[in-house]
Amino acid sequence: MTILDGKALAQRIQGELTEQSAAFFAATGLKPCLATVLVGADPASAVYVRSKRRACARLGFESRHHELGPETSQQELEALIDALNADDGVHGILVQLPLPKALDADAIIDRLDPAKDVDGFHPTNVGLLALKKPRFVSCTPAGVMRLLEESGIDPQGKRATVVGRSAIVGLPAALLLTHAHATVRITHSRTPREDLEAAVREAEILVVAVGRPGFVPGEWVRPGAVVIDVGINRLAPEPGQERGRLVGDVDFDGAVEHAGAITPVPGGVGPMTITMLMHNTLEAARQRVG
Ligand code: NDP
């Protein structure tokens, strides 16, 4: 049984990206530049943005941060997006989601210059992925595919099941696995429980992105399967602890009894996500400079 160590792999790839960003600077006099936009006071969003900015600093990227209050109007945010789109010094734009409820997130994503959409959420980039001409791919599923590739796991000819069909994880993961020649089943909240179980039991590659702790029982995992657990769930704190543990969507202790390889939570898919964001930002900078 192999633990797929996303943390170690992410460190290695980030080392390579650091060298590549230095080479880009040497060739162009420019650092790849990521603009981050944080609206409102969601503490989890603030943590995510901070870790993305720290990654920029570590890898020799430029980071420009814009923080707007919770009362920000749609027009104000759109004006900021327009300014960032027009700014030649900005290569990638990341609008941290979720936005406050009063704002229309879809309209904001639609407004991004697709060439700066390093999150891969813009309809143009989603369409390009669907057409098997990917430009910027959503960072979490891109990280999942890189983790498989670097671990020597070839999806070709394999039965893969993706649990969850969100636009940012489940659906693009299913597309990428299909493009990699797996035979893919997608399950979601309307999938009858017995069909879900059957789909999980047949999966040689299982990707789970639901957002419920321990949602997939370990005993469902097919012997030798590759299990990619995207879920990040914080449990209630145990007595004497300030914060609860982070766990995935798969019952890890049960699944390790059956799986051939499995990602831990934390330390599996999470570190790969931020790494792919940096990868996309460098790529956006290269494409802009030509
Ligand atoms: P969403 O809430 O957007 O999507 C959850 C998906 O799970 C939906 O497609 C939903 O189906 C499906 N689902 C819900 N209940 C069931 C059920 N009973 N059976 C089968 N499917 C079900 O979440 P995300 O995709 O954004 O994220 C999923 C998890 O991954 C979360 O824990 C999140 O924190 C984590 N995550 C981790 C990242 C990382 O870097 N590791 C990055 C992004 C997310 P339906 O479409 O029918 O509603």
Side-chain angles (χ1 to χ4, degrees):
M1 218 282 306
T2 309
I3 300 287
L4 298 171
D5 187 345
K7 195 173 169 192
L9 176 59
Q11 274 170 2
R12 174 160 79 62
I13 298 172
Q14 289 190 17
E16 291 165 12
L17 290 170
T18 305
E19 287 171 19
Q20 289 164 13
S21 85
F24 180 78
F25 181 73
T28 64
L30 297 169
K31 291 181 173 186
C33 174
L34 176 67
T36 47
V37 179
L38 177 63
V39 188
D42 177 34
S45 292
V47 170
Y48 288 136
V49 168
R50 204 177 311 135
S51 66
K52 289 163 188 173
R53 297 184 65 208
R54 283 203 191 120
C56 282
R58 236 183 8 257
L59 273 57
F61 288 29
E62 186 182 344
S63 155
R64 295 193 197 166
H65 183 52
H66 297 267
E67 210 159 314
L68 305 177
E71 305 303 327
T72 301
S73 69
Q74 187 78 16
Q75 289 76 11
E76 284 170 295
L77 183 52
E78 288 181 0
L80 173 60
I81 299 300
D82 291 348
L84 294 173
N85 282 343
D87 185 341
D88 274 342
V90 171
H91 303 121
I93 304 170
L94 178 135
V95 180
Q96 185 63 45
L97 301 178
L99 291 173
K101 285 203 170 50
L103 297 174
D104 179 348
D106 285 346
I108 296 298
I109 299 298
D110 287 0
R111 207 168 180 103
L112 289 172
D113 177 351
K116 297 190 178 188
D117 166 40
V118 287
D119 253 341
F121 295 168
H122 189 281
T124 299
N125 287 321
V126 177
L128 285 170
L129 170 62
L131 294 170
K132 214 177 165 182
K133 297 177 197 161
R135 178 171 50 185
F136 297 122
V137 177
S138 178
C139 300
T140 300
V144 167
M145 296 308 288
R146 185 77 187 263
L147 186 57
L148 292 176
E149 187 189 324
E150 299 277 349
S151 308
I153 298 161
D154 182 359
Q156 174 159 290
K158 301 251 169 44
R159 291 178 182 187
T161 293
V162 180
V163 186
R165 59 173 169 183
S166 71
I168 63 169
V169 188
L171 220 45
L175 282 170
L176 288 164
L177 285 163
T178 304
H179 296 337
H181 311 299
T183 306
V184 181
R185 282 180 85 175
I186 305 174
T187 64
H188 45 76
S189 66
R190 312 292 171 89
T191 306
R193 181 97 179 152
E194 61 272 23
D195 290 353
L196 170 71
E197 177 176 348
V200 170
R201 283 192 183 275
E202 75 166 23
E204 296 167 281
I205 297 176
L206 176 67
V207 178
V208 187
V210 172
R212 294 201 200 175
F215 178 73
V216 171
E219 74 211 37
W220 287 7
V221 170
R222 179 186 167 121
V226 175
V227 179
I228 306 292
D229 190 353
V230 178
I232 302 179
N233 310 287
R234 192 172 288 284
L235 298 180
E238 289 177 16
Q241 281 183 336
E242 202 173 304
R243 298 208 310 164
R245 256 181 343 117
L246 283 182
V247 298
D249 289 345
V250 177
D251 158 31
F252 184 86
D253 292 342
V256 287
E257 303 286 326
H258 307 281
I262 188 168
T263 55
V265 178
V269 176
M272 292 301 293
T273 296
I274 201 159
T275 303
M276 298 321 285
L277 175 70
M278 298 296 119
H279 166 92
N280 284 352
T281 302
L282 176 61
E283 200 47 45
R286 283 177 173 154
Q287 286 177 15
R288 182 139 302 254
V289 172

